[in-house]
Amino acid sequence: MSFQLIDEQEAIQAMARDFAANEIAPAASKYDEEEAFPVELFQKMREYGLANLAIPEQYGGPGIDKMSHAIIVEEIAKACAGVATSIEANSLSSYPILVGASEELKQKYLTKLTREGKFASFALTEPGAGSDVSSLSTTARRVGSEYVLDGEKCFITNASYADFFVVLANLKEEGKDKNFTAFIVDRESLGVTVGEKEKKLGLRSSNTASVIFEEVVVPASNRIGAEGEGFKIFMKALMHARPMVGAQALGIAQAAYEASIDYAKERKQFGKPIANLQAIQFMLADMAMNIEAARLLVHKAVGLLQEGRPSAQHASFAKCFASDTAMSVATDAVQIFGGYGFIRDYPVEKYFRDAKIMQIYEGTNQIQRVVIAKEILSS
């Protein structure tokens, strides 16, 4: 067991850190304030090999190992979690294709992301089906060699810019109630409508909108896997994605922690830096300890992915603990900054706003605990 990054991973980390510090961080507050989707930045990240991180080299991706993927995500999220979320939306959309799609679909759609610089969206959540995926109401029906989709998806990352959507629908078939099937739906398909951009608490540089499907015709060749395999494919995809949410949360937590250290050394009260006060020292110590524990859990889950042994339990450990840590660290960072922590001129209020969604998207932390409980009780 080694806790040391190899030389190549350290080089990737240094490159990602420099890019994030020089290209993302200086404009992060501007993107946040304007709720801007920085397309040019995303294309520059693609050119640097910092996008489409899950895609193998044979489809035009960087072809990096899973640990390098997590390291890059952490560094980007440290500069701006909104940017990290939109970049990782392409990875999330790639996972069902990589897990269950035909070679033809992989060649056609993954290369749209890598070689053409397109965006994609993972369309799972619905107005009435968030944590309870089994209740989703988007339907598909077979008509000859095609399917017809109807329904609405909400909170879809990159929806306004997506070239295609990876969609889970309930295939209507006599005698089958839950017959979930996965599809790739082209943005230009007749009957696809993208709603207004959502106004969000955090991640404001990331685009989020609803997607409505009205009698949308999808060729059978765009089905991912066999009929009825969609739920399993999407759950496998999330098993790969959740550790990377943990990596995003780590980036937020690390940024909030470092800002707190710097501020505590500079800010003076009672004639001395507040870093000399035990109350502040204990908060900083807890931050450091929990970030280290979260990083170990994330790296364990990522290591299992790299070994070809993805674990639902460890993916949930990583996502849940790291995002809880991000929220706790960001909250304490605001407290350490005091009144200044509540002001937009200082960075910690953004970390606080961005951290909250980490506990919610890609499965709430309550659902992560359900997954963990199921795994430990069935083993």
Side-chain angles (χ1 to χ4, degrees):
M1 184 183 298
S2 174
F3 297 100
Q4 182 65 39
L5 299 177
I6 63 174
D7 291 346
E8 183 180 355
Q9 291 166 342
E10 288 186 341
I12 287 172
Q13 183 182 51
M15 184 267 289
R17 184 171 292 167
D18 286 346
F19 185 94
N22 296 322
E23 302 289 342
I24 303 175
S29 61
K30 179 176 181 288
Y31 299 149
D32 179 74
E33 190 73 28
E34 297 177 0
E35 301 190 25
F37 189 79
V39 175
E40 291 183 3
L41 173 65
F42 293 137
Q43 298 304 348
K44 191 171 186 178
M45 292 175 71
R46 183 173 65 86
E47 293 166 8
Y48 273 73
L50 297 174
N52 301 306
L53 299 173
I55 300 179
E57 199 169 3
Q58 69 194 91
Y59 305 114
I64 56 175
D65 64 279
K66 297 298 183 183
M67 189 64 73
S68 295
H69 183 165
I71 290 165
I72 291 170
V73 168
E74 180 180 343
E75 294 299 332
I76 295 171
K78 185 177 172 184
C80 180
V83 170
T85 294
S86 278
I87 280 294
E88 274 300 280
N90 269 14
S91 293
L92 178 58
S93 303
S94 302
Y95 291 128
I97 299 173
L98 290 166
V99 166
S102 66
E103 184 61 26
E104 181 183 0
L105 285 179
K106 290 176 184 177
Q107 290 287 353
K108 179 179 180 180
Y109 286 98
L110 295 179
T111 56
K112 281 178 176 281
L113 305 180
T114 58
R115 293 172 185 152
E116 298 179 31
K118 304 293 187 182
F119 297 96
S121 290
F122 182 86
L124 176 60
T125 302
E126 297 182 0
S131 296
D132 182 12
V133 176
S134 66
S135 294
L136 65 83
S137 59
T138 296
T139 61
R141 66 181 191 275
R142 186 77 184 245
V143 181
S145 62
E146 299 171 326
Y147 295 89
V148 180
L149 269 62
D150 286 281
E152 179 182 356
K153 301 292 184 176
C154 64
F155 309 140
I156 306 304
T157 302
N158 289 358
S160 301
Y161 296 84
D163 183 71
F164 63 89
F165 304 94
V166 180
V167 182
L168 187 64
N170 190 10
L171 180 60
K172 292 298 184 181
E173 192 173 339
E174 190 175 345
K176 292 185 179 180
D177 182 31
K178 306 293 184 184
N179 194 23
F180 299 117
T181 304
F183 302 92
I184 298 176
V185 181
D186 289 307
R187 167 63 168 268
E188 299 305 318
S189 299
L190 190 65
V192 175
T193 304
V194 177
E196 292 294 318
K197 179 180 73 173
E198 301 287 359
K199 300 289 187 179
K200 305 192 301 291
L201 172 71
L203 303 188
R204 292 179 179 174
S205 59
S206 175
N207 173 266
T208 307
S210 295
V211 184
I212 300 168
F213 304 98
E214 296 179 289
E215 295 286 300
V216 178
V217 176
V218 180
S221 59
N222 273 32
R223 190 186 67 224
I224 301 175
E227 292 181 354
E229 289 186 349
F231 184 82
K232 180 174 66 175
I233 289 169
F234 267 56
M235 292 306 104
K236 283 184 178 179
L238 288 171
M239 208 184 307
H240 285 78
R242 283 169 177 165
M244 300 308 171
V245 176
Q248 289 184 59
L250 273 176
I252 297 171
Q254 186 69 35
Y257 166 67
E258 291 179 8
S260 298
I261 287 277
D262 291 343
Y263 184 79
K265 289 178 178 179
E266 296 170 2
R267 173 69 166 167
K268 290 186 177 180
Q269 290 288 275
F270 309 107
K272 58 186 177 183
I274 62 172
N276 289 8
L277 301 173
Q278 192 177 64
I280 302 298
Q281 291 174 354
F282 281 6
M283 293 169 77
L284 295 172
D286 283 341
M287 286 182 183
M289 179 171 57
N290 287 320
I291 290 171
E292 184 72 4
R295 187 170 285 111
L296 290 172
L297 280 173
V298 169
H299 287 190
K300 172 68 178 289
V302 169
L304 290 171
L305 288 177
Q306 186 63 39
E307 293 171 7
R309 297 190 295 130
S311 165
Q313 178 176 321
H314 286 86
S316 290
F317 280 166
K319 192 272 183 187
C320 188
F321 190 85
S323 57
D324 280 350
T325 295
M327 192 70 245
S328 173
V329 169
T331 300
D332 282 350
V334 172
Q335 192 71 19
I336 288 171
F337 273 69
Y340 293 109
F342 211 67
I343 303 298
R344 288 189 183 179
D345 290 343
Y346 291 79
V348 292
E349 65 88 27
K350 181 179 183 297
Y351 302 144
F352 178 86
R353 290 187 286 107
D354 287 346
K356 186 59 201 173
I357 193 61
M358 300 292 149
Q359 295 178 303
I360 297 171
Y361 70 0
E362 291 190 37
T364 66
N365 282 5
Q366 287 68 36
I367 288 297
Q368 304 310 315
R369 288 171 169 86
V370 169
V371 172
I372 293 165
K374 180 180 179 182
E375 291 291 319
I376 62 178
L377 290 172
S378 63
S379 62

